[in-house]
Amino acid sequence: QASLVTAGKAPAEGFTQEEFLTASGLAGVHFSYTGKSSKSDTPDVRSHHFITRNMRGRCVSISYITSPEVESAAVLEAIRKTLRVE
C-alpha cells in the first residue's frame, strides 16, 4: 500500500479492507483499492484481493481487477459468498 501511494499510483484514501465470510463458513479478508494503470494519469483501475487460507493452512489470494466505471457490486458479492478453496 505504501509503495503504491509513494509512487503516485494510488491515493491513500482509495484503500479499503474488510473481513468476509462465505456461505460455507470460509473466513477471509477483502482488500481493494483504486489505482492508476501505466496508461493513465487518473485512477482507472479497481483492484480487489480476496485473501483466505486453504485446507492445508496456506494463504490463497484471488484477484479481480476491473474499471471503476463498470465495477459490479453483484460480482463482488458473488465472490464473497461462493469462494471455495481446497
Side-chain angles (χ1 to χ4, degrees):
Q1 180 176 337
S3 64
L4 289 170
V5 172
T6 301
K9 294 289 186 184
E13 66 277 359
F15 293 84
T16 60
Q17 181 176 323
E18 62 186 352
E19 294 181 4
F20 70 90
L21 187 65
T22 67
S24 65
L26 181 66
V29 175
H30 172 209
F31 177 74
S32 62
Y33 66 93
T34 302
K36 294 189 260 184
S37 70
S38 59
K39 301 174 185 175
S40 178
D41 290 330
T42 59
D44 64 340
V45 174
R46 188 81 179 130
S47 183
H48 296 270
H49 305 277
F50 297 86
I51 304 164
T52 188
R53 293 193 179 273
N54 65 12
M55 292 171 57
R56 295 182 192 118
R58 295 186 179 182
C59 258
V60 177
S61 176
I62 287 74
S63 298
Y64 169 63
I65 299 172
T66 187
S67 166
E69 291 85 28
V70 297
E71 182 175 53
S72 169
V75 169
L76 295 173
E77 188 61 19
I79 293 170
R80 279 189 211 98
K81 294 293 180 188
T82 62
L83 179 65
R84 292 178 48 137
V85 295
E86 295 183 15

